[in-house]
Amino acid sequence: GDSVTQMEGPVTLSEEAFLTINCTYTATGYPSLFWYVQYPGEGLQLLLKATKADDKGSNKGFEATYRKETTSFHLEKGSVQVSDSAVYFCALYLTGTASKLTFGTGTRLQVTL
Amino acid sequence: DVKVTQSSRYLVKRTGEKVFLECVQDMDHENMFWYRQDPGLGLRLIYFSYDVKMKEKGDIPEGYSVSREKKERFSLILESASTNQTSMYLCASRSSAAYRVGELFFGEGSRLTVL
């Protein structure tokens, strides 16, 4: 079945460090891909998305490029801040799959001063 | 500001009790969802609803039921709570517009502990 695999956390970085969180997917068709973020004590919120191959989603300094050849959608940020500390979820959506998103297990990011 | 509101942030119940988790959205969204979130397992879909009085089972519906009598409200019911239902429960809603199908709006979550 369709699935999303994320790198295990926690990821601990110093402020201003470069961030990569890996995400790969398995899907029978051509999914749309998403990154959601969950700040402490809050629900998830959409961070960025890409709907077709080679699309780049971006928001709040974060970027991710839809790579069909490697079935990946890695999240990157050039310079993280303490306020980026959160859990990040990669997700995919396939048309016709009863309208549901398939989420990865989440990656916790901790940014320290 | 758009909002999905879950009625209780924290609940403690006893085994065998009936539990209601309520969710209300103010965005006139057609679709609503209930997920549970557990460490190492991510989010798993329990039930979803396309529209009023419509419901579909998700990946883990056993032990749960839902009710959607009004468009803005989607309730999750645990008929007889068990300890393995201790979890964080997240409600979400979504527009049915094709270009927004992956964009869920989540509530803050309800953390349920079953003793």
Side-chain angles (χ1 to χ4, degrees):
Chain A
D2 305 324
S3 65
V4 175
T5 302
Q6 290 182 235
M7 62 188 290
E8 293 220 7
V11 174
T12 303
L13 294 173
S14 299
E15 203 170 41
E16 300 183 1
F18 184 84
L19 168 71
T20 301
I21 299 178
N22 290 337
C23 170
T24 57
Y25 68 89
T26 302
T28 51
Y30 300 101
S32 297
L33 301 172
F34 303 84
W35 277 100
Y36 279 80
V37 58
Q38 185 179 33
Y39 297 104
E42 299 183 13
L44 280 73
Q45 55 186 272
L46 179 65
L47 180 60
L48 53 84
K49 69 174 184 178
T51 57
K52 61 182 187 299
D54 300 325
D55 268 2
K56 178 186 280 187
S58 61
N59 187 25
K60 299 183 180 180
F62 291 89
E63 292 183 339
T65 301
Y66 188 161
R67 303 280 188 206
K68 188 174 135 194
E69 63 277 11
T70 54
T71 61
S72 65
F73 193 54
H74 305 322
L75 183 68
E76 295 181 336
K77 187 174 185 183
S79 176
V80 293
Q81 306 299 312
V82 171
S83 57
D84 294 326
S85 298
V87 181
Y88 293 81
F89 292 89
C90 186
L92 70 81
Y93 172 79
L94 266 173
T95 304
T97 55
S99 298
K100 68 172 190 175
L101 257 68
T102 298
F103 285 89
T105 54
T107 303
R108 181 175 297 279
L109 170 66
Q110 183 71 46
V111 181
T112 59
L113 289 170
Chain B
D1 205 14
V2 296
K3 209 162 171 101
V4 177
T5 303
Q6 295 184 228
S7 55
S8 304
R9 292 295 301 273
Y10 302 94
L11 303 94
V12 179
K13 299 292 181 180
R14 297 207 174 273
T15 301
E17 281 193 78
K18 191 168 186 175
V19 182
F20 292 87
L21 300 179
E22 305 283 341
C23 175
V24 177
Q25 50 96 3
D26 65 0
M27 295 166 280
D28 202 35
H29 284 167
E30 294 82 7
N31 305 158
M32 295 187 75
F33 303 80
W34 276 106
Y35 287 87
R36 64 176 282 177
Q37 181 181 8
D38 299 289
L41 297 177
L43 274 71
R44 293 179 291 167
L45 182 63
I46 305 172
Y47 267 97
F48 62 101
S49 169
Y50 288 114
D51 209 335
V52 176
K53 296 192 185 296
M54 298 178 70
K55 60 185 179 185
E56 296 285 340
K57 292 181 180 179
D59 297 318
I60 52 164
E62 297 78 18
Y64 303 94
S65 62
V66 290
S67 172
R68 186 137 181 237
E69 296 297 317
K70 294 185 178 181
K71 189 175 186 180
E72 68 271 17
R73 187 180 297 269
F74 192 35
S75 302
L76 181 68
I77 303 153
L78 288 67
E79 294 288 342
S80 177
S82 62
T83 54
N84 63 11
Q85 292 178 309
T86 292
S87 186
M88 171 70 85
Y89 290 88
L90 293 172
C91 175
S93 73
R94 182 187 72 191
S95 166
S96 62
Y99 67 99
R100 293 210 177 276
V101 288
E103 298 178 25
L104 300 184
F105 292 83
F106 282 86
E108 293 183 325
S110 298
R111 184 168 293 283
L112 171 66
T113 301
V114 182
L115 302 176

